[in-house]
Amino acid sequence: DFDAALAIDPHAWVALDGRGTLALRAGDDSGAIAAFSAAISSDPQGDDFVLPLRAQAYWRAGKRAEALADYSQAIQRKPAAAGFYWYRAVILKEEGKRAEAIRQAQLVTTANPKLPLAYFTAGAIYTSLGEPGEASAAFDRAVAVAPPAASTYLMRAGYRPWTDLAGRRADIAQALKLDSKSAPALAMLAQVQMAAGQYADAATSLTAAIGKTAGGPDMLTMRGIAYQKAGQTALAEADFAKALGQAKGPGALNNICWELATADVSLTSALDDCNAALAREPDLVAALDSRGFALMRLGRYGQAIASYTSALKLDPLEADSLYGRGICELRAGRKSRGRADIKAATVLSYAVADEFAHYGVRP
């Protein structure tokens, strides 16, 4: 359809955007760069969202200077787009330019002094670069500049490492004070309770959350995991069956697979769910990644590496896939490859090692 549109008007920037997006999704970085560049030439001012997309394609292709330039131009046009500063910080960190990477934290807050997301982004940059004091101050400032809202406290909780369960609990408690019926707060409380081994309490929290919303397959799966960990197998199986019955698309199937695999519960079923998602959408990066994790849990390291590699062909910047593949390579005896993947993943994401440790997976 895009080609047909371009046959009528070779400068139709919407069609060029679309073709570039398809190329990016297919892992064709050079094709994406060409299409996005043509779109920018056709409409240099009116198509701002193409710049960060081309920056991503440049970055994936290893052209960091070009990616940095595009993100800089995107920031000039949209100073409140905090994510662009984060991407610049990560690329600069990759290049070993620590001072310039840290400066992105200062730039995002200076440009947006009243925007909570700017301070959360700055905190993430500081954390990534080993500055916990600066990070904590930035996260606190994010809460201070925001109007009182449960979502702000939940966002700060989400940025905290899993080693700080007390901090997460405190933020969730503040969120529930502001909105006692907040299903996201109750679900996050359940995650903290499960991390602390309080599975019956987690099931109770999730039951309350499900009672305040339509529930859905994600919360049902989480509650099923809590029941399973608490030894209530029949209740767990009922929730898993209901969740699977409600999962209407590949994304929902992937989410069930991921929750089961990371919780180390019903691994064969998790693998089946991932395969079902991929049967419907073979290039779903998230499902390829989740399948890799499930296979890793099952000790099938060669197959896990293959699934992670398929995900990384489509998105070379996916930190979870890099870290997971690195773990599997280490366990398969491919030490140098494993260490390289893990190093690359921790540059891209300040939280990936903490998340995997939370799942009980370490190098």
Side-chain angles (χ1 to χ4, degrees), residues 164-185:
D164 185 13
L165 289 182
R168 287 195 176 218
R169 280 185 188 271
D171 280 339
I172 294 165
Q174 289 293 333
L176 288 169
K177 281 184 181 179
L178 291 168
D179 182 2
S180 62
K181 297 180 180 181
S182 170

Side-chain angles (χ1 to χ4, degrees), residues 233-301:
T233 304
L235 291 173
E237 290 178 352
D239 270 356
F240 293 151
K242 189 173 181 181
L244 197 57
Q246 291 184 8
K248 301 302 182 184
L253 287 166
N254 167 66
N255 290 345
I256 293 174
C257 171
W258 177 251
E259 292 292 342
L260 293 175
T262 53
D264 202 9
V265 167
S266 301
L267 295 177
T268 302
S269 295
L271 185 58
D272 289 343
D273 295 336
C274 270
N275 285 332
L278 289 165
R280 299 189 194 183
E281 190 173 339
D283 290 337
L284 183 60
V285 172
L288 290 165
D289 175 81
S290 298
R291 185 175 67 180
F293 198 102
L295 288 164
M296 175 177 60
R297 284 286 203 203
L298 290 165
R300 293 156 62 175
Y301 300 123

